[in-house]
Amino acid sequence: MTASIPGSPGTPDSSDVVDRLLTFAYRGWIVSCGTQRIDGGLYRPVVFCRPDEPGEKDARLPVDTDNAAYASEAEALRHGEQQAMRWVHDRTGGQGEF
């Protein structure tokens, strides 16, 4: 049984996240990337990371750039995927492998 991440897709307080999700496993973490529609039809990535093994906390990643708005949902998802991989990589000690 896996615990849900507060504010993650599929939980009651995630109404701002668009239905399309990209979910993948990377270095022992389960990553879910979604998007949030913001002003002017732009999209912001919304990224959640859940450890595959107990011992680490679930995380909703913060916006990682000052201007994190993208013209398409696909572009925002792609950025969220890259952000998640960097975040996990930094926590798993994968120096020189990224």
Side-chain angles (χ1 to χ4, degrees):
M1 182 174 152
T2 57
S4 63
I5 301 169
S8 67
T11 60
D13 58 344
S14 64
S15 60
D16 61 339
V17 178
V18 175
D19 289 335
R20 176 181 276 170
L21 293 176
L22 170 66
T23 302
F24 62 95
Y26 183 67
R27 301 186 73 139
W29 289 80
I30 305 300
V31 177
S32 293
C33 301
T35 60
Q36 177 184 31
R37 191 173 186 143
I38 56 176
D39 295 335
L42 299 175
Y43 294 88
R44 174 183 303 148
V46 180
V47 182
F48 304 92
C49 295
R50 184 182 76 232
D52 199 24
E53 299 284 328
E56 292 280 347
K57 289 187 174 187
D58 297 344
R60 178 174 179 169
L61 303 189
V63 175
D64 72 340
T65 61
D66 291 336
N67 186 18
Y70 299 92
S72 72
E73 186 179 17
E75 189 178 6
L77 283 171
R78 194 167 37 255
H79 180 84
E81 178 183 19
Q82 293 169 351
Q83 177 189 7
M85 291 175 75
R86 284 191 310 270
W87 187 87
V88 169
H89 188 263
D90 289 347
R91 277 144 191 82
T92 59
Q95 296 174 335
E97 295 176 30
F98 192 60

